[in-house]
Amino acid sequence: MSALATRAAQVGSPPRTPGRMPATVEAIAFAAGFAFLACLPLLVGGSYGRHVLIMAFLYAVIASNWDLSLGYGGIFNFAHLALFGIGVYAYALLTKLVGIEPWTALVLSGFIATAAAVLVTVPILRLKGIFIILVTFGFAQLVMQVILSQSELTGGTQGIVRIPGLTLGDHSMIRDNKFAYFYLALGLLALSTAALRIIVRSRLGAAIVALRDNEDYAVARGLSVARLRLFTMASSAFFTGAAGAFYAAYQRNASIDVFGMSLSTVILSMVLLGGTGTIYGAILASFLLTLFSEAMADFGAWRPMIVAVLIVGVMLAYPAGLAGLVKAAAGHAGRLVRST
Amino acid sequence: MALLEIEDVGKSFGSLKAVDGVTLSVEKGRIQGIAGPNGSGKSTLFNLVTGIPFGPDRGRVRIDGVPIERLSAHEIAGAGIARTFQRETSFDGLTVFENALVGATFGGRIRASAMAREAAAEALQLAGFAPAGFGRLAGELSVFERKCLMLATACAMRPKLLLLDEPASGLTRPEIEASIGLVRSIAASGVTIVLIEHVLTFLMNLSDHLVILSGGRVLASGSPREVIADPAVVEVYLGTRRSAA
């Protein structure tokens, strides 16, 4: 059907988000999805199983927030994992050195990562493409070097150990077989995902995509490049930093490894495998890659190679990633239902 | 009363003077045409007024008496100047409705969601989009539909002044006819329009006033019939008759 018609009379009031899933339907699916995840400890036994899921939730938070700046915003931000690392070290230093209460430190770490995102966005306001990669990558290296050079505070290459963990009243977080951390990580993912989806469904979310699609045209429609880029980067940083703080509290140590290329590559492959510009795709890919990687544990050195081949295979068959695959499958199922 | 005043505006790229001291004004409620050979500075003049992608090296630009040449491009849009581009352009990852909603919210500075949605729907229907097509992705539209959508996003801004850069280029004859009707109905809603066009039927049909640019300067200005009869304009477009030796 053509979108153009000769001044057709409007029949009834149009839907609030034409062409998109209605907000109430998405909210119900969202609640059902997280209710299922909350029941997972019934299916996956043992504290190791819960540990794998906690890591999958944290990866999902980092990857889906990266999808906001990279997928929706089209900003080649290679400092995203540095924001996670800043969260790790901010929490470690705030709790150990300053003596701030863990939960307050976790929230503060989110804000510190947000401030760092604003700082790295200023030099890239007028830049495009490869130059943004260069500056953000340089920023990540700079943060790592600062942490290494301040070894009296940060422990340098040794890192920081015995970081205070999170607390829940009198509940013992260490002897509960990771139940509390499982539900806290799930809660963090739920909050982060809800915030991201609210942003991308809003008019600001549409503006972020508009700026990605055509900068001159977006400016001609009244969008401020500077304000919108700052907003995109800052809002992708808060939960990334909070995830870093959570990771530090959970592992109880901070290491410079979080700034390494290997973690960046893993998370980036989650964003791309999931399909950019969907949020849910990155989350799905984080779950699948983490679980698949665990299942392949017996394959030793073959494991990363198998995972890499799998990623290449999916990307070749479905360039839009897992989100594209799910969409195609849903379309196929719809046609099948209609034909019967 | 003049809505847009351009005074001695200039822009150079190295030794090339793309726009060289242009002065013109656009009366409120008028459809003013701008024509001229390729490279005469028409699109550059639009760029200088809107600041996209650059503002003027010299001169003054005023809208409703307020100087805008020092404002950033998105502020100029917010001041009530909407423009379209020569090539059909859209936000491909957004739906038809979201394209217009961006214009209403940010260009039109309509904060309240319900009012912005109303402005977007109104502009889309004015441009001929039926509500049933609001959910289509802009990236899936035809060239003509994208041109109409670009106009709709401009109208959603509820601008004082609309600058149209070759709205008829690349269109078939029936599409050109439809576009003429569309521009007329936009003008009837009270928007002042400046129109760059090569398609003469478009210009002659719509313009109340015509300006011809050549070599970055104003060559002629007046009613369309007077201007195209001007010998200087004929010379620029057709060249001089070679005199018999």
Side-chain angles (χ1 to χ4, degrees):
Chain A
M1 183 177 60
S2 167
L4 279 173
T6 48
R7 239 24 88 66
Q10 194 174 332
V11 185
S13 60
R16 245 190 98 72
T17 50
R20 306 283 185 200
M21 184 187 278
T24 43
V25 175
E26 183 173 341
I28 292 166
F30 181 94
F34 275 91
F36 170 75
L37 291 176
C39 295
L40 275 182
L42 300 173
L43 303 171
V44 183
S47 74
Y48 185 72
R50 281 185 286 281
H51 164 73
V52 172
L53 288 170
I54 290 168
M55 294 311 294
F57 294 162
L58 288 182
Y59 288 151
V61 171
I62 311 169
S64 54
N65 276 279
W66 203 353
D67 191 24
L68 180 65
S69 59
L70 184 69
Y72 282 87
I75 306 166
F76 293 124
N77 166 28
F78 274 69
H80 191 73
L81 264 291
L83 301 175
F84 173 74
I86 286 168
V88 169
Y89 274 87
Y91 178 86
L93 295 174
L94 285 173
T95 50
K96 264 201 101 167
L97 282 183
V98 189
I100 289 177
E101 189 270 327
W103 283 104
T104 314
L106 185 131
V107 176
L108 280 177
S109 302
F111 283 115
I112 290 170
T114 307
V118 169
L119 199 69
V120 71
T121 310
V122 172
I124 62 166
L125 285 179
R126 305 262 168 246
L127 300 180
K128 285 182 184 172
I130 185 87
F131 298 102
I132 293 182
I133 298 179
L134 278 174
V135 172
T136 52
F137 190 72
F139 176 82
Q141 294 297 306
L142 180 71
V143 173
M144 188 174 83
Q145 291 305 325
V146 168
I147 289 172
L148 279 175
S149 68
Q150 302 301 310
S151 55
E152 281 168 25
L153 295 173
T154 62
T157 49
Q158 305 289 311
I160 304 174
V161 290
R162 296 174 67 190
I163 297 168
L166 294 171
T167 52
L168 279 177
D170 292 334
H171 179 78
S172 168
M173 303 283 279
I174 300 169
R175 289 185 195 83
D176 74 343
N177 288 321
K178 302 190 193 300
F179 267 104
Y181 271 112
F182 173 87
Y183 284 107
L184 289 175
L186 182 62
L188 184 69
L189 177 61
L191 275 179
S192 159
T193 309
L196 288 171
R197 289 299 307 175
I198 287 170
I199 290 172
V200 300
R201 289 186 67 104
S202 73
R203 288 183 282 167
L204 263 173
I208 290 170
V209 174
L211 192 64
R212 174 199 71 190
D213 283 352
N214 192 316
E215 193 171 309
D216 279 347
Y217 183 37
V219 171
R221 293 297 169 263
L223 298 180
S224 157
V225 177
R227 264 186 242 158
L228 210 50
R229 267 203 187 156
L230 278 169
F231 172 78
T232 309
M233 289 286 285
S235 44
S236 75
F238 181 81
F239 282 103
T240 306
F246 189 99
Y247 179 77
Y250 174 62
Q251 298 281 31
R252 307 207 51 197
N253 64 61
S255 142
I256 206 76
D257 293 347
V258 291
F259 292 95
M261 277 303 285
S262 84
L263 187 60
S264 258
T265 312
V266 168
I267 307 283
L268 183 62
S269 58
M270 288 168 180
V271 178
L272 299 179
L273 180 70
T276 54
T278 59
I279 302 294
Y280 293 122
I283 294 172
L284 186 64
S286 306
F287 292 169
L288 288 181
L289 269 187
T290 312
L291 299 180
F292 187 76
S293 185
E294 278 306 316
M296 297 279 119
D298 294 341
F299 288 82
W302 287 95
R303 180 166 73 166
M305 287 185 245
I306 295 169
V307 173
V309 168
L310 179 86
I311 293 174
V312 172
V314 172
M315 295 310 291
L316 280 176
Y318 292 94
L322 291 173
L325 191 148
V326 170
K327 223 176 192 175
H332 191 67
R335 277 192 298 278
L336 219 67
V337 167
R338 276 194 297 276
S339 66
T340 51
Chain B
M1 189 192 151
L3 174 69
L4 176 73
E5 294 162 280
I6 297 172
E7 201 181 308
D8 193 30
V9 157
K11 178 78 186 176
S12 301
F13 300 100
S15 59
L16 174 75
K17 290 178 175 169
V19 171
D20 186 14
V22 167
T23 296
L24 59 88
S25 62
V26 180
E27 299 295 313
K28 229 171 224 170
R30 188 183 258 183
I31 300 181
Q32 179 152 325
I34 297 183
N38 283 332
S40 59
K42 306 181 298 290
S43 291
T44 308
L45 189 64
F46 271 15
N47 294 343
L48 301 187
V49 171
T50 57
I52 301 167
F54 41 69
D57 295 337
R58 65 184 167 97
R60 271 170 295 282
V61 183
R62 282 186 291 269
I63 179 129
D64 260 340
V66 180
I68 56 165
E69 73 274 0
R70 298 265 167 259
L71 296 183
S72 54
H74 74 274
E75 289 170 330
I76 294 174
I81 301 183
R83 73 171 287 182
T84 63
F85 295 88
Q86 244 175 63
R87 280 183 65 95
E88 64 285 355
T89 307
S90 59
F91 304 127
D92 291 352
L94 297 179
T95 62
V96 164
F97 186 70
E98 288 162 344
N99 267 263
L101 193 59
V102 166
T105 304
F106 298 93
R109 296 185 173 172
I110 304 176
R111 293 242 170 126
S113 168
M115 283 174 69
R117 300 169 57 74
E118 202 181 298
E122 239 178 65
L124 285 171
Q125 294 198 52
L126 176 74
F129 286 88
F134 284 5
R136 279 181 72 190
L137 276 181
E140 295 168 358
L141 301 180
S142 69
V143 170
F144 178 55
E145 286 171 332
R146 277 177 192 226
K147 287 223 168 205
C148 290
L149 182 58
M150 190 158 53
L151 265 175
T153 60
C155 291
M157 292 166 66
R158 300 203 165 149
K160 294 175 189 166
L161 177 69
L162 181 57
L163 308 178
L164 303 179
D165 196 349
E166 296 196 27
S169 72
L171 299 185
T172 61
R173 189 169 285 275
E175 288 169 348
I176 290 176
E177 300 286 328
S179 295
I180 289 174
L182 179 52
V183 174
R184 260 213 190 100
S185 47
I186 294 170
S189 71
V191 181
T192 306
I193 294 173
V194 181
L195 177 72
I196 293 176
E197 194 45 81
H198 279 298
V199 178
L200 266 181
T201 46
F202 211 99
L203 274 179
M204 300 305 285
N205 249 304
L206 283 167
S207 313
D208 306 316
H209 191 93
L210 186 58
V211 172
I212 304 289
L213 292 185
S214 175
R217 291 165 170 271
V218 175
L219 183 71
S221 171
S223 79
R225 303 230 163 269
E226 276 167 28
V227 167
I228 58 161
D230 187 322
V233 173
V234 174
E235 187 187 325
V236 162
Y237 268 97
L238 303 174
T240 44
R241 194 185 294 273
R242 196 181 291 172
S243 54

